[in-house]
Amino acid sequence: MTPAERATASSAAAGTQGKGPATGQTGRPAGDATRSATATAPSTGQQARPRNGVDSVPRRVRLSLARVDPWSITKLSFLLSVAVGIALVVATAVIWSVLDGMGVFTDLNGLLKDVVGNEVDFDLLDYVGFGKVLSLATVIAVVDVVLLTALSTIVAFLYNVSAALVGGLHVTLSDD
């Protein structure tokens, strides 16, 4: 039995049970304008259109974000800052490799030897070698993870305090 047949059968059964003069075809009071989406239209025998169908106006709901959970913010910010840290280390390695492949470090090393002279033993790669640059990028990434996680947790607590005072962030959602 299809849902439309079930609705018709249940409305016919409810119509025979409602014996008062104020009941309509579905057993509901005659003034009740609510109708299910699967009920049949009384005059044509066709199904009534659902309230949120194609021809209906989009609904708008105004909600407010009154509180955020600091623990969920902490977990999310930790994962995102780890991703940013990994991207920082990978980007540093790629940029260093590209610069080294283009010969930038050897050109700079030759320019510094011309400026300073040959009597000073100076090698630029002793200071900006791949290992040192990658180690510095890793340290910066770890500090970034700790700072971003702590700051976002503090911001979550501050949001909860300010939302308790002013009511939170108001958002209007629509089902376009």
Side-chain angles (χ1 to χ4, degrees), residues 107 117 120 122 145 150 155 157:
D107 289 345
V120 178
F122 180 77
V145 167
V155 167
F157 279 113

Coordinates of all heavy atoms in Angstrom, one line a residue, residues 107 117 120 122 145 150 155 157:
D107 N 75.4 31.9 -6.3 CA 75.5 33.2 -6.8 C 75.7 34.2 -5.6 O 76.6 35.1 -5.7 CB 74.4 33.7 -7.7 CG 74.3 33.0 -9.0 OD1 75.3 32.4 -9.4 OD2 73.2 33.0 -9.7
G117 N 86.1 39.8 0.0 CA 87.5 39.5 -0.5 C 87.8 38.0 -0.2 O 87.0 37.3 0.5
V120 N 88.9 36.3 3.7 CA 87.9 35.8 4.7 C 87.3 34.6 4.1 O 86.7 34.5 3.0 CB 86.8 36.9 4.9 CG1 85.8 36.4 5.9 CG2 87.5 38.2 5.4
F122 N 84.4 32.5 4.0 CA 83.0 32.6 4.3 C 82.2 31.8 3.3 O 82.4 31.8 2.1 CB 82.5 34.1 4.2 CG 81.0 34.3 4.5 CD1 80.6 34.3 5.8 CD2 80.1 34.4 3.4 CE1 79.2 34.4 6.0 CE2 78.8 34.6 3.7 CZ 78.3 34.6 5.0
V145 N 51.9 25.6 16.4 CA 50.8 24.7 16.9 C 50.4 25.0 18.3 O 49.2 25.1 18.7 CB 51.3 23.2 16.8 CG1 50.4 22.3 17.6 CG2 51.4 22.8 15.4
A150 N 46.4 27.4 21.8 CA 46.1 28.2 23.0 C 45.3 29.4 22.8 O 44.3 29.7 23.5 CB 47.4 28.5 23.7
V155 N 40.1 32.4 22.8 CA 39.1 33.1 22.0 C 37.7 32.4 22.2 O 36.7 33.1 22.3 CB 39.5 33.2 20.5 CG1 38.3 33.6 19.7 CG2 40.6 34.1 20.4
F157 N 36.6 30.9 24.9 CA 36.2 31.3 26.3 C 35.7 32.7 26.2 O 34.7 33.1 26.8 CB 37.3 31.1 27.3 CG 37.4 29.7 27.8 CD1 38.5 28.9 27.5 CD2 36.4 29.1 28.6 CE1 38.6 27.7 28.0 CE2 36.5 27.8 29.0 CZ 37.6 27.1 28.7

